[in-house]
C-alpha cells in the first residue's frame, strides 16, 4: 500500500472543524514537506484543580486539530509537582474530557516517565550539558545577572562529570534536604532570554506524589519534563498558550541535544504558542476557584455557578454547546477576553432546538375557575411553533425519541384550582401591563381565556386567591400567561442561577503572572483579595413552586424550556423523584443588557479604563411586598439585615419567625445563615438547630475562633445529630489556632522544610508569601488564624 500524499493529509477548508490559523498553516507545510506523515497532538493539564471553560477551548484546539488531519490527540497529566496534585483532580479531568466528547483512550502521565526523565538528565550530565548546583536559590538568582548584565558562573558550574553524576545519584537517594542542591542545564549565562541562563531541570522536594508515593524525592521541572514527554509520545505539534513563548527556547534546546533528527531519523516535536482566552464575569485561576470553594461562596467545584466543566455538566449545559462555544472563539497570536454572552448564546442556541416547552410556576398565586365542572385533560404540544431539532423534520420528545410528521404532545390536566405566577397579576397595573388585572382578561396557555371576577386578600391586603371565569374563544385577551394545576401539579424547588460576578473583570487587578499554569512550580503569584467583593449576591435564588405533571414521567436527563422562565433540568445530585429540584441552565434572553457587539472577542492586551462598580450590574427584580411584608422588611433592614435577605425573609414568615427568635441580637450576621443554610430545613420542618445555638456558632465565626467553612460543616453535622454546633466545635477541637507559640512552631517547621523558598523570599520574591501562608494553613489543618499567620510570617521571614 502506497503512503498517503501530502494532498491526502491536508484537509480541505470546508472539512476543517478548527478554522485555518497560523498553527494549521505550519502543520500544512510540515505535511507537504514530508517532515511528518501523521499529526499527533496532546492536551496536558496539571491535575491540581478541576478543568474549566478555558480548558474546553484549549482541549478543543488540541483534539479537533488532530482529528481534522486524521491524527490522534493524547490526554496527558503533567503531574511533575506533587504539592497540590491529587487523584481526585486527575479523575475529574478525565471525566470532564470524556463528557466534552474527546477520546481519552490515549491517556498518559508525566509521572510514568520519571525513570526515563532521570536517565535523560544523566545523559545531559555525561555530555557536559548539565551540572549539580549547590548555591542557595537566592544566590542562584543573583548569579543569573540582569537584563543589562550577563550572568556569573557559579563556583560549581565546572564540576566534573563524575562528581555531578555522583551528586545527582545521591540527590535521588534522598541524602540531601530540600533546596540543598539542584540540577541545572549548562547553556548560556549571557543569553538575553533568561530561560536559557542555566535553567533548573530538577529540584529536591521531599513530598509524596499521588501516583508514585515516596519513591522519588527529586522532581523534574516542567521545562524539562514536558518537552521530553512530548518526544517520548511522538507528539508532532505541541500547542500551548502564549506565556510559554520564552520557554520554547528550552524546548528546542532539549530536542536538539536529546532527540536530534539525524540520530533518531524523525523530526522532533516543536512548540507553537497561541493567545489565551479568558472570560468576562468569571475567574478561572485555580487558586481563586479554590478560595470560592474553601470560603463557602459556592458549594463545591461542581456548583452550577462555577466556570468548571463539572459545574456546567451539573447545571445542565450540554457537551454539544461547549464544543460549539469553543469552535467559535478562534485561534490567534494574542491574548483575548471573551464575553460570557458568547458562551451563554451557544447554550441557548443548542437548547432551543432540543428542549421541549412545558409550564412551571415558581412563585405561585392560587386561581379558582368558578365555572369549570369536571377536570379536563388537555393535549398540548411540546413545540407550539413546531420547531424541529434537526434537518430530518422529526420533532424531539423529552425522552430523546423523535416523532416524524406529527405533533409531539403531552397531557396537561386543567382543574378547578390552578396556580399562576404571582407577578402575572397586578391589582394596580402599571401602564402597558398585559397580564391579569381585576376585571381584566388574559389567555391561559392552551386552556382558554379567563376573566378575573374577584380578588381574595389576606390580612396584609395582598392577594391570596383569584376567582375567575373561563370565557369563550370569542372573548378578547390582553396577553398569554402560563399556569399549572394546583391539585395535580408536582411540587418542585427551582434554583435560579446567574452570573457569579457583577463586573466583567472581577480579578483585573491581579498580577499577570499565573502559577496555575504548568511550569510555574514556585507558586509566587500574589493573591488578589479584591475579586471577592464583586460576587453577585443574586447568583442563586431559590423558589418553591409547581411544575406540570408530565415531567414526572420523563427521564431525569430531559431538558425543558419552562415557558417564559428559561431552560431547566433536574439537578443530578439533589433532585429526587419525591422531591424534584430543577436547575435553571440559562435564561431565555441575555438579562444583563449587553449590546450584541459585546459578544465579540476583545483584545486583552489593550489597557481598559478603570471601572468603578459600587452596586451589582444586573440586580434581579424582586416581587412586590404587601404592606405587612414591607413593615417586616423595614424592621429587618433597620436591625442590620441586608436588603436581599430582608426581602426574602419578609415573604417567608417561617424563616422570619425563626430569625426574630434571636430577640433582635446580631440579626445581620444570622440572616445569611438562616436564608442560605437553614432555609430548606425550616420550611420542611426538619430543622434541629435552635436560633440560640446558631447565634453561638456565628459568634465563633465573627470572633475568628472558626472559619466560615468549618461553621458550615459543623452546621450540617448538627442537623443530622441534633448536637449543639458550638459543642461539636469544642469536641472536635476545631477552633482557630491563635496561640503565638503554636503558630511560631508551625511556621518554623514550614521554613525548615523549604529553605530554598526562604532564600528566594528574602532575595526579593515577596510573592512567595502566599506559598508560605498556604503551607502553614495546611500544617494546622486550616485552623491557623490568618491574620496572626500573616503578621508572624512577615516577622520571621524578615
Amino acid at each position: 500500500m502506497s503512503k498517503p500524499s501530502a494532498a491526502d493529509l491536508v484537509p480541505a477548508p470546508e472539512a476543517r472543524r478548527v478554522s485555518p490559523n497560523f498553527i494549521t498553516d505550519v502543520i500544512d507545510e510540515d505535511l507537504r514537506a514530508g517532515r511528518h506523515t501523521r499529526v499527533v497532538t496532546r492536551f496536558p493539564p496539571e491535575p491540581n484543580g478541576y478543568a474549566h471553560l478555558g480548558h474546553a477551548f484549549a482541549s478543543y484546539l488540541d483534539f479537533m486539530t488532530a482529528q481534522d488531519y486524521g491524527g490522534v490527540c493524547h490526554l496527558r497529566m503533567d503531574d511533575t509537582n506533587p504539592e497540590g496534585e491529587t487523584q481526585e483532580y486527575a479523575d475529574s479531568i478525565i471525566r470532564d474530557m470524556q463528557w466534552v466528547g474527546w477520546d481519552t483512550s490515549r491517556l498518559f502521565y508525566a509521572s510514568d516517565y520519571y525513570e526515563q526523565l532521570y536517565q535523560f538528565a544523566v545523559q545531559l550530565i555525561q555530555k557536559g550539558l548539565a551540572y549539580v548546583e549547590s548555591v542557595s536559590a537566592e544566590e542562584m538568582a543573583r548569579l543569573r545577572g540582569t537584563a543589562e548584565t550577563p550572568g556569573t558562573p557559579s563556583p560549581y558550574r565546572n564540576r566534573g562529570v563524575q562528581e555531578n553524576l555522583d551528586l545527582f545519584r545521591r540527590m535521588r537517594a534522598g541524602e540531601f534536604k530540600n533546596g540543598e542542591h539542584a540540577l541545572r542545564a549548562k547553556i548560556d549565562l549571557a543569553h538575553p532570554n533568561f530561560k536559557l541562563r542555566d535553567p533548573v531541570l530538577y529540584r529536591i522536594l521531599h513530598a509524596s506524589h499521588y501516583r508514585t508515593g515516596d519513591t522519588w524525592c527529586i522532581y523534574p521541572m516542567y521545562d524539562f519534563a514536558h518537552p521530553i514527554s512530548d518526544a517520548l509520545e511522538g507528539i508532532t505539534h505541541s500547542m500551548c498558550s502564549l506565556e510559554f513563548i520564552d520557554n520554547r527556547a528550552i524546548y528546542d534546546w532539549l530536542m536538539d541535544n536529546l532527540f536530534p533528527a539525524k540520530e533518531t531519523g524523525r523530526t522532533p516535536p516543536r512548540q507553537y504558542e497561541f493567545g489565551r482566552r479568558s472570560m468576562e464575569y468569571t475567574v478561572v485561576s485555580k487558586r481563586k476557584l479554590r478560595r470560592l470553594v474553601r470560603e463557602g461562596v459556592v458549594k463545591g467545584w461542581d456548583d452550577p455557578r462555577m466556570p468548571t466543566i463539572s459545574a456546567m455538566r451539573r447545571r445542565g449545559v450540554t457537551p454539544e454547546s461547549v464544543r460549539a462555544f469553543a469552535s467559535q472563539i478562534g485561534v490567534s497570536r494574542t491574548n483575548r477576553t471573551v464575553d460570557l454572552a458568547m458562551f451563554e448564546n451557544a447554550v441557548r442556541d443548542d437548547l432551543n432546538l432540543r428542549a421541549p416547552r412545558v409550564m412551571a410556576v415558581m412563585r405561585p398565586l392560587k386561581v379558582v375557575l368558578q365555572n369549570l365542572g369536571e377536570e379536563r385533560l388537555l393535549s398540548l404540544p411540546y413545540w407550539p411553533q413546531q420547531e424541529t431539532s434537526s434537518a430530518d423534520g422529526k420533532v424531539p420528545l423529552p425522552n430523546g425519541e423523535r416523532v416524524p410528521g406529527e405533533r409531539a404532545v403531552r397531557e396537561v390536566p386543567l382543574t378547578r384550582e390552578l396556580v399562576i405566577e404571582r407577578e402575572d397579576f397586578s391589582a394596580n397595573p402599571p401602564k402597558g401591563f398585559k397580564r391579569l388585572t381585576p376585571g381584566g382578561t388574559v389567555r391561559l396557555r392552551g386552556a382558554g381565556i379567563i376573566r378575573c371576577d374577584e380578588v381574595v386578600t389576606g390580612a396584609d391586603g395582598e392577594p391570596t386567591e383569584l376567582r375567575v371565569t373561563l370565557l369563550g374563544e370569542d372573548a378578547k385577551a390582553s396577553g398569554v400567561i402560563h399556569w399549572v394545576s394546583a391539585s395535580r401539579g408536582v411540587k418542585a424547588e427551582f434554583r435560579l442561577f446567574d452570573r457569579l460576578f457583577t463586573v466583567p473583570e472581577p480579578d483585573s487587578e491581579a498580577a499577570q503572572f499565573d502559577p496555575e499554569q504548568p511550569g510555574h512550580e514556585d507558586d509566587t503569584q500574589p493573591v488578589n483579595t479584591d475579586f471577592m467583593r464583586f460576587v453577585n449576591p443574586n447568583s442563586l435564588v431559590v423558589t418553591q413552586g409547581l411544575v406540570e405533571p408530565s415531567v414526572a414521567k420523563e427521564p431525569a436527563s430531559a431538558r425543558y424550556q419552562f415557558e417564559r422562565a428559561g431552560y431547566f433540568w433536574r439537578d443530578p445530585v439533589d433532585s429526587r423523584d419525591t422531591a424534584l429540584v430543577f436547575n435553571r441552565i440559562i435564561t431565555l434572553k441575555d438579562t444583563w443588557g449587553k449590546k450584541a457587539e459585546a459578544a465579540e472577542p476583545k483584545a486583552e492586551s489593550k489597557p481598559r479604563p478603570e471601572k468603578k462598580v459600587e452596586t451589582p450590574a444586573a440586580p434581579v427584580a424582586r416581587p412586590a411586598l404587601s404592606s405587612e411584608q414591607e413593615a417586616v422588611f423595614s424592621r429587618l433592614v433597620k436591625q442590620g439585615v441586608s436588603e436581599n435577605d430582608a426581602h426574602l425573609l419578609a415573604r417567608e414568615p417561617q424563616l422570619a419567625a425563626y430569625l426574630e427568635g434571636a430577640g433582635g441580637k446580631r440579626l445581620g450576621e444570622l440572616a445569611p445563615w438562616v436564608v442560605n443554610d437553614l432555609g430548606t430545613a425550616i420550611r420542611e420542618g426538619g430543622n434541629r438547630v435552635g436560633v440560640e445555638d446558631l447565634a453561638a456558632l456565628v459568634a465563633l465565626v465573627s470572633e475568628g475562633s472558626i472559619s466560615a467553612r468549618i461553621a458550615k460543616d459543623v452546621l450540617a453535622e448538627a442537623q443530622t445529630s441534633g448536637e449543639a454546633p458550638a459543642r461539636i466545635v469544642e469536641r472536635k477541637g476545631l477552633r482557630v489556632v491563635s496561640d503565638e507559640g503554636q503558630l511560631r512552631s508551625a511556621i518554623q517547621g514550614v521554613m525548615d522544610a523549604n529553605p530554598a523558598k526562604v532564600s528566594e523570599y528574602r532575595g526579593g520574591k515577596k510573592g512567595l508569601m502566599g506559598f508560605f501562608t498556604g503551607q502553614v494553613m495546611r500544617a494546622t489543618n486550616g485552623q491557623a488564624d490568618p491574620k496572626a499567620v500573616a503578621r508572624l510570617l512577615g516577622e520571621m521571614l524578615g
Side-chain angles (χ1 to χ4, degrees), residues 321-590:
S321 59
V322 172
R323 294 198 299 269
F325 162 68
S327 70
Q328 295 167 14
I329 294 177
V331 182
S332 72
R333 298 178 187 269
T334 57
N335 293 332
R336 294 187 178 182
T337 299
V338 179
D339 193 322
L340 191 60
M342 179 181 285
F343 172 70
E344 293 171 337
N345 287 335
V347 175
R348 289 189 186 97
D349 290 345
D350 175 69
L351 294 175
N352 184 51
L353 297 176
R354 73 166 70 228
R357 280 55 165 164
V358 299
M359 297 185 290
V361 173
M362 299 173 195
R363 296 180 177 89
L365 174 60
K366 183 178 178 181
V367 173
V368 179
L369 297 177
Q370 298 180 104
N371 63 332
L372 183 68
E374 295 182 355
E375 173 184 314
R376 300 179 187 175
L377 200 58
L378 306 179
S379 182
L380 301 184
Y382 277 119
W383 303 88
Q385 305 303 320
Q386 287 295 286
E387 297 98 337
T388 57
S389 63
S390 69
D392 62 8
K394 297 180 180 179
V395 181
L397 294 173
N399 61 11
E401 295 181 3
R402 297 175 186 268
V403 184
E406 61 181 72
R407 289 160 62 87
V409 297
R410 84 279 190 189
E411 293 183 338
V412 181
L414 177 66
T415 56
R416 179 178 173 81
E417 294 185 353
L418 312 174
V419 290
I420 65 171
E421 292 287 356
R422 188 166 293 274
E423 64 182 19
D424 282 344
F425 172 79
S426 177
N428 299 292
K431 184 178 181 180
F433 189 77
K434 294 184 178 181
R435 284 162 279 178
L436 195 58
T437 61
T441 60
V442 74
R443 178 179 291 277
L444 295 178
R445 171 70 72 188
I449 299 171
I450 59 171
R451 181 186 65 234
C452 180
D453 298 323
E454 183 181 351
V455 180
V456 179
T457 60
D460 57 3
E462 286 299 302
T464 58
E465 180 181 306
L466 306 179
R467 295 174 181 172
V468 306
T469 299
L470 187 62
L471 305 176
E473 284 299 316
D474 56 344
K476 294 182 179 180
S478 58
V480 181
I481 63 174
H482 60 274
W483 54 277
V484 173
S485 165
S487 57
R488 298 282 300 282
V490 179
K491 290 182 179 180
E493 175 178 295
F494 302 95
R495 297 176 179 175
L496 310 180
F497 295 106
D498 206 344
R499 297 180 180 182
L500 187 53
F501 293 96
T502 60
V503 295
E505 297 175 278
D507 59 350
S508 59
E509 297 175 359
Q512 294 299 310
F513 179 63
D514 185 358
E516 300 298 348
Q517 294 300 313
H520 297 307
E521 291 89 349
D522 54 346
D523 201 27
T524 56
Q525 183 185 27
V527 179
N528 174 20
T529 59
D530 292 330
F531 79 101
M532 295 285 278
R533 65 191 174 103
F534 297 122
V535 170
N536 180 7
N538 298 310
S539 62
L540 171 60
V541 174
V542 179
T543 68
Q544 307 291 328
L546 297 172
V547 64
E548 65 177 66
S550 63
V551 303
K553 303 175 184 178
E554 301 298 345
S557 60
R559 294 167 175 83
Y560 300 95
Q561 183 191 115
F562 288 166
E563 291 203 27
R564 300 167 58 214
Y567 296 98
F568 289 76
W569 89 326
R570 295 189 209 178
D571 184 277
V573 176
D574 295 335
S575 187
R576 303 287 184 273
D577 289 342
T578 55
L580 296 180
V581 177
F582 284 95
N583 293 338
R584 183 170 66 189
I585 306 170
I586 198 74
T587 55
L588 294 178
K589 297 180 180 179
D590 180 4

Side-chain angles (χ1 to χ4, degrees), residues 12-40:
E14 64 274 10
R16 295 177 186 259
R17 298 169 181 83
V18 177
S19 299
N21 58 75
F22 68 96
I23 297 177
T24 60
D25 289 345
V26 170
I27 298 175
D28 291 349
E29 179 56 31
D30 283 347
L31 294 174
R32 293 190 182 102
R35 286 186 282 271
H36 298 289
T37 58
R38 190 189 191 200
V39 173
V40 183

